[in-house]
Amino acid sequence: DTGVSQNPRHKITKRGQNVTFRCDPISEHNRLYWYRQTLGQGPEFLTYFQNEAQLEKSRLLSDRFSAERPKGSFSTLEIQRTEQGDSAMYLCASSLGPAGGLDEQFFGPGTRLTVL
Amino acid sequence: AQSVSQHNHHVILSEAASLELGCNYSYGGTVNLFWYVQYPGQHLQLLLKYFSGDPLVKGIKGFEAEFIKSKFSFNLRKPSVQWSDTAEYFCAVATGGFKTIFGAGTRLFVKA
């Protein structure tokens, strides 16, 4: 399978713990996006990478959230001191875009986070 | 603030019925528009997109959408739905940069 993969698929944690999710994009894709989706809502944009550079970050991404894409390939999203309100599906998407252009995003299966 | 509104949260149709899902956005500048679909147990995938040119765009599986700039709308249509079209449909708008805003989604159930 050469699509976007995310690990783990499910994560249950206690409030106050730190969690880290991983996203492996389609190999030649230079753009990577993170979204959060709660029940009954569409995906909400969190952040965007062009290669290893984080170019855009939503105000939804509080100081407890950090994302990296160190070598321009896989990405990690870390949530520190989790809160119950962080419970959601975290989606990763990737795309292959020409410079300055928009293109089709390919989504992964998501990581479902439950904070107890 | 920019937003995307999908008029129906749940739609139930019989096979062969025609489908139209409404989508309106609030943004006065240039937009790029998308419809994504999520079939049960599967990932979100692109159904169709509009960047420029002909405002009537055709996507996969017989779907089409029309961009009406004056109405800030991008409604999705299909003349005859099938049971396999049962899914959740999301309208999305990109307004510049790479931030994409999604609507809340419409769950379509097609009765066989």
Side-chain angles (χ1 to χ4, degrees), chain B residues 2-102:
Chain B
Q2 299 146 11
S3 65
V4 177
S5 175
Q6 292 185 237
H7 308 312
N8 308 97
H9 293 296
H10 295 90
V11 173
I12 301 173
L13 294 173
S14 298
E15 274 195 315
S18 64
L19 170 71
E20 180 159 3
L21 301 182
C23 173
N24 286 91
Y25 63 91
S26 62
Y27 184 73
T30 302
V31 293
N32 296 286
L33 301 158
F34 308 83
W35 276 96
Y36 283 84
V37 61
Q38 188 166 23
Y39 297 103
Q42 296 189 24
H43 310 176
L44 270 168
Q45 59 184 279
L46 184 70
L47 201 53
L48 49 77
K49 62 186 177 185
Y50 171 80
F51 286 175
S52 63
D54 188 345
L56 184 63
V57 293
K58 295 190 184 299
I60 59 172
K61 303 187 180 184
F63 286 90
E64 65 178 30
E66 185 175 13
F67 171 48
I68 303 179
K69 189 174 180 180
S70 61
K71 294 185 178 180
F72 300 92
S73 71
F74 190 55
N75 293 353
L76 180 71
R77 298 193 292 250
K78 185 171 183 179
S80 177
V81 295
Q82 301 173 315
W83 177 80
S84 59
D85 294 323
T86 294
E88 190 158 17
Y89 294 82
F90 294 92
C91 180
V93 174
T95 59
F98 299 96
K99 179 177 178 179
T100 302
I101 302 168
F102 284 78

Side-chain angles (χ1 to χ4, degrees), chain A residues 18-65:
Chain A
N18 299 342
V19 294
T20 300
F21 309 142
R22 176 178 170 126
C23 171
D24 287 89
I26 294 171
S27 59
E28 66 269 24
H29 284 186
N30 57 347
R31 298 175 176 176
L32 188 145
Y33 311 76
W34 283 99
Y35 294 86
R36 181 174 67 187
Q37 186 175 19
T38 53
L39 198 63
Q41 299 298 318
E44 294 175 287
F45 172 83
L46 293 178
T47 191
Y48 156 73
F49 290 86
Q50 172 99 5
N51 298 312
E52 66 275 9
Q54 188 174 21
L55 297 186
E56 199 161 344
K57 191 172 171 180
S58 167
R59 286 172 290 178
L60 290 173
L61 219 62
S62 75
D63 291 344
R64 297 185 297 105
F65 288 70

Side-chain angles (χ1 to χ4, degrees), chain A residues 6-13 18-24 34-35 65-68 74-79 82 86 88-91 110-115:
Chain A
Q6 292 187 245
N7 287 288
R9 295 290 305 275
H10 303 273
K11 178 71 177 179
I12 300 173
T13 191
N18 299 342
V19 294
T20 300
F21 309 142
R22 176 178 170 126
C23 171
D24 287 89
W34 283 99
Y35 294 86
F65 288 70
S66 62
E68 294 182 342
F74 73 91
S75 175
T76 57
L77 177 69
E78 181 183 15
I79 308 174
T82 52
D86 297 331
M89 177 75 86
Y90 289 84
L91 297 170
T111 295
R112 183 169 295 283
L113 172 66
T114 302
V115 181

